[in-house]
Amino acid sequence: MTPLPQCAALALAIALAACSPSDAPAATASPADASAIPTADSVPSPAPDLIAGTGSPTTAAEPATDELAATPGSDAEDTQYFDFSGAALARMRSEARPATPALRDAARRIVDETGRERECGTYPEGERLFVLDLDGRPGDEALLLYTMEGCGGGGNYYDRSGYVLREVDGAWTQVAEFPMGTKLVGNATISALEPGVVVISPDGDSLFEPHRAEIPPR
C-alpha cells in the first residue's frame, strides 16, 4: 500500500501538468494572407479617358475663342491662291488676311442663296475668302470666290465666280460681282487689284474674255 505523503505528491504533479499552458506555437498569418489586406498604395486609380482607337489619353480642351490670327496670308496656303496671277498674286500673298467668324457665316449664306437663285449646287471645298483693302479708302473689303455646279440640272457643268463684300450697317453684303470662267470657255484668274477695280484675265489658252469689275465707292 502506497504511503499517504507519496499519494498526495503524485496527485499534485498530475494537477499541475493538466493546468500548464500548451507548448504548441500560436498561429500566425502567412505572407499570402498578408498580401490580401488592401493598403492605400494597392487601391487602383481611375482609368484616364482615352482617344478612341488610339489608346492615348485625352488632353484638356483649350479655352473657346472666336478670334482668328490676322497675319498676312495666313488665311490660305499657296495651293489656295490658284485664282490669282501676276501682281494680284503677289499682293494677296503679302496683304490678304483671314476672315472673322461673322464674315465666314455671311459668306456661307450668300453662296447658298446664290445657288438657290441659279438652281445650282455649291462646292464649299473650292470656296476662298480673303480680307484686304480693295478700294484704297479706309476700311477693308472681302473677296469671296466660289463655284456653282450642275446649274439647271446640267450634269457636270460648273462656273466659277466672285463677289466683293463690304460691311454695311454691321452686315456683310455683296457690292460687286465678276465671272471667273466656266466649263465651256475655260478658267480665269484675278491678274490685278487696282484701287476700286478687280481685273480678271484668261488662264492659259482659256477662251474667257478679260473682265474689269468696278467696286462702288463707299
Side-chain angles (χ1 to χ4, degrees), residues 38-179:
T39 64
D41 294 336
S42 64
V43 177
S45 59
D49 293 331
L50 302 179
I51 302 174
T54 67
S56 301
T58 58
T59 57
E62 294 292 333
T65 177
D66 59 359
E67 295 296 328
L68 297 178
T71 55
S74 63
D75 192 43
E77 299 174 356
D78 283 348
T79 55
Q80 292 177 303
Y81 285 109
F82 64 85
D83 290 303
F84 303 89
S85 62
L89 176 60
R91 184 176 175 193
M92 293 299 294
R93 283 178 170 164
S94 64
E95 298 181 21
R97 301 188 303 280
T100 63
L103 173 53
R104 293 182 187 277
D105 290 343
R108 175 80 269 132
R109 291 192 297 270
I110 290 171
V111 173
D112 288 345
E113 180 61 28
T114 299
R116 287 190 291 270
E117 291 176 355
R118 300 182 186 176
E119 297 183 352
C120 301
T122 62
Y123 182 61
E125 293 85 353
E127 293 170 10
R128 302 289 182 262
L129 185 60
F130 306 92
V131 177
L132 71 164
D133 176 21
L134 294 174
D135 62 3
R137 299 174 180 271
D140 287 329
E141 285 76 31
L143 270 176
L144 170 59
L145 309 174
Y146 63 94
T147 298
M148 296 281 112
E149 299 181 306
C151 301
N156 62 356
Y157 174 83
Y158 72 86
D159 70 67
R160 189 152 180 80
S161 304
Y163 283 124
V164 175
L165 308 181
R166 181 182 285 155
E167 193 170 16
V168 179
D169 296 330
W172 287 92
T173 184
Q174 58 265 47
V175 295
E177 181 179 3
F178 50 88

